[in-house]
Amino acid sequence: MIVLRQIEKDDYSNAKSILKVNGIEDDLSQGIIYIINNGDCIMGVSKIIIKDNYGILKYVVVKEKFRGLDYGDSLLRGILFKCRSMGINKVYYHGYDSYLLKKGFTNNKTSILVDHKLYTEVDNILNNTCCGGTNGV
């Protein structure tokens, strides 16, 4: 069964190997980190750091053999649902990323975190449907 959930310490080794293959180093000690897995197989990882009243998306990574199955969308939405439950509605990303632009991020034109290239309001993404559904889930 495929499950989207927050990471646990037992998942760290497998999650770090996915990140390493994608050129990301992270000790997984800070932030909110979600994984999508099927049994012992972790298929993707996402992370966000929460600051005062906004989030900074660090990454959404899916193993290459599982790409195209909307697991990245699930990881992104899972983290954004968590943000919304915490009262966070603004999320920034440091660089340009075509995947995030496709999902609803836009060029950052706010006066906050001007060095972060992309921005979204959580509700802008969560209020749009994904995967052909009607309820945004």
Side-chain angles (χ1 to χ4, degrees), residues 48 53-58 90-95 100 105 108-114 116-120:
I48 194 162
N53 62 347
Y54 60 88
I56 300 174
L57 182 66
K58 301 305 276 186
K90 295 177 176 35
V91 175
Y92 297 85
Y93 184 73
H94 69 278
L100 294 176
F105 278 73
N108 180 14
K109 295 180 179 162
T110 70
S111 59
I112 301 171
L113 295 177
V114 294
H116 284 64
K117 307 295 185 211
L118 297 181
Y119 163 83
T120 193

Side-chain angles (χ1 to χ4, degrees), residues 67-119:
R67 292 181 184 165
L69 301 172
D70 290 322
Y71 294 153
D73 189 73
S74 297
L75 286 161
L76 179 61
R77 285 176 177 273
I79 271 197
L80 295 179
F81 273 118
K82 179 70 172 181
C83 286
R84 182 163 49 180
S85 76
M86 298 170 66
I88 304 292
N89 194 43
K90 295 177 176 35
V91 175
Y92 297 85
Y93 184 73
H94 69 278
Y96 286 105
D97 185 277
S98 60
Y99 177 78
L100 294 176
L101 287 166
K102 182 176 90 172
K103 291 298 175 183
F105 278 73
T106 59
N107 292 325
N108 180 14
K109 295 180 179 162
T110 70
S111 59
I112 301 171
L113 295 177
V114 294
D115 59 328
H116 284 64
K117 307 295 185 211
L118 297 181
Y119 163 83

